[in-house]
Amino acid sequence: MAEILVLVDHADGAVRKTTSELLTLARRAGEPSAVFIGAGYEAARETLGRFGATKVYIAESPEFDDYLVAPQAEVLAQVAAASQPAGILLPSSPDGKEIAARLAVKLESGVITDAVDVSADLVATQSAFAGAYAVTGKVTHGTPIITVKPNSATPEPAETTPTEEKLTVSISDAARAARVISREPRQASGRPELSEAAIVVSGGRGTGGDFGPVEALADALGAAVGASRAAVDSGWYPHAHQVGQTGKTVSPQLYIAAGISGAIQHRAGMQTSKTIVAVDKDPEAPIFSMVDFGVVGDLHAVLPQATEEIGKR
Ligand code: FAD
């Protein structure tokens, strides 16, 4: 069976959900081999086996933390040259896309970014014009390299005991050209990561800049906080929380939109949510055409009531 390489997305061995999604997609096309780069493999082992990695290439060294993405592209190129995989899947994160581009140059291969689906013959589907069109494409030169947006697939467990191959890590002088000087962790909110959260509460222009009620409801539900572009562009919430065409794609069990009109570019990032609830004071707001449950009202009154009620349960 053809081997498909999957770059493991992790933080010190804590594997992100995107990796289980990539392993699930890779299983359609062949036998997934995970490529683990960085420190903390022991913590990642169980998850990789649970989602069907038949092999894991391990380039374990804390030194990778000292550099940006160039060394990871080198490791992947090294593995690809030796194993001649049928395809390589990476997460569509900023790092994942940069690694994919560098890898494509090294392997002289074509690359497709921001896929939302990958078929058994490695045809990638991309979403265009805010989800109005689905575009399919296939890499015709070299090893297909495809980055896949988070939440594009539902992770399906397939228990395996992967074989492990430890790689000798050598970071070239070229990859050492840019070094990380310091890392400043963002102030931890204690909330789940937006792309991975089971519940997302998002605020839009209707918040008037006060995200307090949105955050309070999110905390009562154990949810992540999202924002529309209008809220982000107004400087009310960081861009990392933007949901939509030019933000993140989320697909939680429950998506609550508060003061968000439901523009097509916002929908592109949340329309696959399992249950959608909207709170908007305008009964004609377009968001109400796509919701499972809608509340017409002022979010500054509705959200605190919901938060209080949830607190009692
Ligand atoms: P509005 O459209 O102004 O809606 C605000 C809503 O709040 C209204 O329905 C109003 O009735 C309601 N409201 C007001 N006050 C209250 C209140 N007190 N209580 C309850 N409801 C209230 N947008 C995104 O979100 N994500 C993207 O990634 C994105 N990418 C884009 C890319 C491109 C190329 C372009 C052109 C646009 C993009 N946009 C994106 C912008 C998008 O078109 C909309 O402008 C944006 O989504 C509107 O944000 P909003 O719904 O918060 O604001």
Side-chain angles (χ1 to χ4, degrees), residues 1-288:
M1 233 192 175
E3 184 177 21
I4 309 291
L5 297 183
V6 169
L7 178 66
V8 178
D9 189 9
H10 71 100
D12 288 329
V15 178
R16 297 199 174 91
K17 188 169 144 255
T18 46
T19 302
S20 42
E21 293 164 14
L22 293 183
L23 288 169
T24 302
L25 288 173
R27 293 207 311 268
R28 292 179 182 168
E31 288 200 342
S33 291
V35 182
F36 182 93
I37 304 172
Y41 173 64
E42 203 47 47
R45 176 186 274 132
E46 191 271 334
T47 310
L48 300 180
R50 184 149 40 90
F51 287 96
T54 50
K55 183 169 185 173
V56 187
Y57 296 96
I58 308 158
E60 198 171 20
S61 164
E63 224 198 339
F64 286 106
D65 270 355
D66 296 343
Y67 299 96
L68 301 173
V69 295
Q72 298 189 50
E74 284 187 347
V75 171
L76 269 178
Q78 186 186 318
V79 175
S83 65
Q84 297 292 315
I88 305 173
L89 304 186
L90 304 94
S92 260
S93 58
D95 279 7
K97 285 197 268 191
E98 189 178 338
I99 294 168
R102 288 171 180 268
L103 185 62
V105 172
K106 286 178 194 299
L107 300 182
E108 295 185 14
S109 292
V111 59
I112 296 175
T113 57
D114 289 338
V116 293
D117 197 16
V118 181
S119 73
D121 50 358
L122 294 170
V123 170
T125 304
Q126 291 165 305
S127 175
F129 298 117
Y133 289 88
V135 180
T136 52
K138 189 166 179 164
V139 171
T140 55
H141 188 85
T143 309
I145 299 169
I146 304 170
T147 77
V148 184
K149 281 189 150 196
N151 292 313
S152 295
T154 306
E156 288 162 16
E159 206 71 46
T160 54
T161 309
T163 55
E164 296 177 350
E165 183 176 327
K166 292 214 159 136
L167 305 171
T168 315
V169 177
S170 62
I171 300 176
S172 74
D173 286 346
R176 288 177 192 273
R179 200 184 178 97
V180 176
I181 307 295
S182 69
R183 287 179 196 275
E184 307 278 333
R186 284 210 200 100
Q187 232 169 14
S189 66
R191 298 188 188 105
E193 214 282 311
L194 181 58
S195 310
E196 302 192 355
I199 305 176
V200 174
V201 184
S202 286
R205 204 192 309 269
T207 62
D210 176 11
F211 263 65
V214 173
E215 291 185 331
L217 180 58
D219 290 341
L221 292 166
V225 173
S228 73
R229 179 161 161 180
V232 170
D233 284 354
S234 302
W236 299 341
Y237 228 70
H239 179 259
H241 293 259
Q242 183 177 315
V243 173
Q245 185 187 336
T246 43
K248 290 194 171 144
T249 304
V250 299
S251 192
Q253 294 298 321
L254 173 61
Y255 186 86
I256 302 177
I260 295 177
S261 63
I264 187 167
Q265 296 89 354
H266 187 79
R267 291 174 183 223
M270 45 65 79
Q271 60 198 357
T272 57
S273 304
K274 308 296 172 291
T275 300
I276 299 172
V277 174
V279 181
D280 200 292
K281 69 178 185 187
D282 176 5
E284 303 297 325
I287 189 101
F288 286 129

